[in-house]
Amino acid sequence: MINAILKKGKEKAVLQRHPWVFSGAIEKVKGKPANGDVVKLLNAQGIFMAYGFYNDQSRVALRLLEWNEETAIDEAWFRAKVATAVVARKHILEDGSTNTCRLIFSEADYLPGLIVDKYADHLAVQVLTSGIQNVMPVIIDELQKLLNPLSIFDKSDASSRAHEGLETVNNLLAGVHPPELVEVKENGITYGINIAEGQKSGFYCDQRDNRRIVASYAKGKKVLDCFSYTGGFTLNSFKNGASSVCSVDSSALAIETLQENIRLNNFDTGKHTSVQSDVNKQLRRFKEEGEKFDIVILDPPKYAPSRSALDRASRAYKDLNRVGMLLLNEGGLLATYSCSGAMDMETFKQVLAWAALDAGKQVQFIHQFCQPEDHPVRSSFPEGEYLKGLLCRVF
Ligand code: SAH
């Protein structure tokens, strides 16, 4: 096995079991590993530190896998990691009301670059590192052994693949091609998921718990679901007796799928309106028209892709939330989210405080949202924490 030597003074993060080693922290590599090979990381004194996937195309030159020198990184190692992650999700699926969740969440499940989502009997995978790409035959075989899925579909159309020198793919890896709409259940609600064409791997299962919590306030209420995608918050609100829901999204396909989902669940289409529009424009339109709601949900896409974008993103979050607050009836609820890892909860609360001041409103934080258990945060990898939200009562 090829050795990579760490620069002097760069040991700390590795000893704390952070899984990333940046190219700038590597003194030299003895030999010529291929991208995706497992190499041995030694410190400047030649002492073993960890095993990791190597990639000279990436800023993260090493993605660490194992800190015990005696443990071989072989087929059995990868099979065990897959099995552990899958078993850990069992109880999410146990009561039958949910048959979709994230089975493997990359670094958080000790498999850097591998994401696997379950959609009923189908699996969608994202392969984001060359290391995982190399071991995919073993991963596929293990997933088949454990779950016997009807299909395994590769949805690795993520921009992060470019950083690893990998091309975008969107194709069937095993089994039969999934139907255009795969029916899944979450919180007892049915969704049609378009695995091949949908965003990300087709569905945002990270909002499962948060949809349920927000919807528990929806009985008899007039709800505005912004950035609705295929209707996660809309459908949960109807299930809990919302008097009406308006869903806003800029994507025509998302709105079309949402409308189909409302019919699939036999919810009253007469109580639903959908608007295909830019949310910022639509919120201003509602304000001009004097439209008000009891609950406003704001679940925008990632505004801050990196720390350097945080200032700009904070202003965008502030403005969005300010207008959202202005559309609420007195004492109404704002459920607001940020999936930008660069924005932590404290900063997000600060943004909401600024928005409230600008709107001339008072805000109580009555609940803090986070990502669910199938998107675990590994203690040595705080970068894996990305989803946060606040339920605010607005006066
Ligand atoms: N709340 C959704 C997930 C939202 S994902 C759920 O529970 O499933 C973000 C959504 O925002 C996507 O559907 C995307 O089409 C939409 N979007 C992105 N920018 C937008 C904009 N400026 N205006 C309206 N929708 C937007």
Side-chain angles (χ1 to χ4, degrees):
M1 190 181 285
I2 285 174
N3 292 340
I5 315 294
L6 200 63
K7 276 188 185 154
K8 240 191 170 150
K10 294 286 181 190
E11 286 93 346
K12 196 171 162 201
V14 179
L15 290 170
Q16 289 173 342
R17 303 204 166 197
H18 194 287
W20 290 352
V21 181
F22 290 99
S23 52
I26 293 178
E27 183 67 46
K28 61 173 178 267
V29 179
K30 293 187 167 169
K32 267 206 172 309
N35 288 334
D37 279 358
V38 176
V39 302
K40 204 185 238 193
L41 180 68
L42 309 178
N43 71 6
Q45 288 78 46
I47 294 168
F48 173 86
M49 300 210 74
Y51 295 111
F53 286 139
Y54 176 79
N55 191 334
D56 68 4
Q57 297 264 302
S58 172
R59 230 164 39 95
V60 184
L62 274 181
R63 293 178 190 264
L64 302 180
L65 301 164
E66 179 60 60
W67 283 257
N68 181 356
E69 190 170 15
E70 315 310 316
T71 305
I73 312 293
D74 52 11
E75 248 191 68
W77 188 95
F78 288 102
R79 286 183 191 277
K81 293 291 186 241
V82 169
T84 303
V86 169
V87 168
R89 272 63 173 185
K90 244 186 181 154
H91 95 274
I92 299 176
L93 308 165
E94 227 152 42
D95 75 356
S97 66
T98 295
N99 65 8
T100 178
C101 71
R102 179 148 290 182
L103 293 174
I104 299 179
F105 185 39
S106 206
E107 278 88 353
D109 284 305
Y110 312 97
L111 290 166
L114 178 65
I115 291 176
V116 181
D117 290 321
K118 173 179 164 69
Y119 295 108
D121 298 323
H122 301 266
L123 300 180
V125 305
Q126 296 177 55
V127 180
L128 306 174
T129 56
S130 48
I132 289 293
Q133 181 90 48
N134 284 350
V135 295
M136 272 316 277
V138 177
I139 306 267
I140 291 169
D141 188 62
E142 188 60 25
L143 288 170
Q144 283 177 314
K145 270 197 186 135
L146 292 168
L147 298 155
N148 194 22
L150 293 177
S151 76
I152 303 181
F153 202 85
D154 190 344
K155 281 289 294 182
S156 305
D157 55 351
S159 56
S160 47
R161 269 176 72 88
H163 303 306
E164 287 264 318
L166 298 171
E167 282 164 16
T168 289
V169 283
N170 198 358
N171 67 298
L172 187 68
L173 294 175
V176 294
H177 198 285
E180 196 182 322
L181 283 187
V182 172
E183 276 193 23
V184 305
K185 272 207 290 193
E186 183 200 78
N187 301 337
I189 294 167
T190 307
Y191 295 80
I193 306 289
N194 189 331
I195 294 179
E197 304 288 327
Q199 292 174 20
K200 294 276 179 68
S201 65
F203 188 56
Y204 295 94
C205 60
D206 55 0
Q207 289 284 30
R208 178 178 53 248
D209 296 344
N210 302 337
R211 289 169 182 146
R212 211 182 43 236
I213 294 166
V214 173
S216 72
Y217 295 85
K219 193 163 195 263
K221 301 289 193 226
K222 183 178 172 190
V223 178
L224 175 62
D225 179 10
C226 298
F227 308 96
S228 60
Y229 189 48
T230 53
F233 287 97
T234 296
L235 297 161
N236 279 270
S237 299
F238 275 131
K239 186 172 179 234
N240 282 4
S243 62
S244 72
V245 184
C246 174
S247 322
V248 185
D249 200 285
S250 55
S251 152
L253 180 62
I255 296 272
E256 201 182 296
T257 313
L258 189 164
Q259 286 167 339
E260 184 56 36
N261 287 340
I262 289 185
R263 286 189 287 273
L264 269 180
N265 291 279
N266 294 317
F267 292 136
D268 185 351
T269 51
K271 293 180 175 173
H272 183 245
T273 46
S274 49
V275 186
Q276 189 204 333
S277 167
D278 177 87
V279 162
N280 293 291
K281 284 192 189 135
Q282 187 57 36
L283 294 186
R284 281 168 176 77
R285 217 167 286 147
F286 279 142
K287 193 164 153 274
E288 280 159 24
E289 292 165 357
E291 191 80 25
K292 293 270 175 157
F293 299 87
D294 302 312
I295 301 178
V296 171
I297 299 152
L298 300 173
D299 185 20
K302 198 195 279 183
Y303 283 175
S306 64
R307 220 165 275 276
S308 60
L310 193 56
D311 276 357
R312 221 174 112 187
S314 296
R315 286 194 291 278
Y317 281 117
K318 189 196 88 172
D319 192 54
L320 176 69
N321 282 281
R322 180 184 65 81
V323 187
M325 286 175 192
L326 291 172
L327 293 180
L328 280 168
N329 288 319
E330 180 70 6
L333 294 177
L334 175 73
T336 181
Y337 300 90
S338 161
C339 59
S340 304
M343 168 155 309
D344 60 22
M345 182 57 103
E346 286 319 300
T347 314
F348 196 49
K349 282 184 184 163
Q350 189 61 60
V351 165
L352 267 292
W354 289 331
L357 268 183
D358 274 15
K361 297 284 181 184
Q362 301 252 46
V363 160
Q364 293 172 332
F365 299 136
I366 62 172
H367 186 86
Q368 299 190 13
F369 301 102
C370 59
Q371 61 209 60
E373 64 187 285
D374 49 338
H375 295 65
V377 182
R378 181 168 147 190
S379 63
S380 53
F381 186 58
E383 290 85 348
E385 186 170 6
Y386 67 99
L387 180 62
K388 71 220 65 79
L390 290 162
L391 187 60
C392 310
R393 199 177 285 287
V394 180
F395 297 97

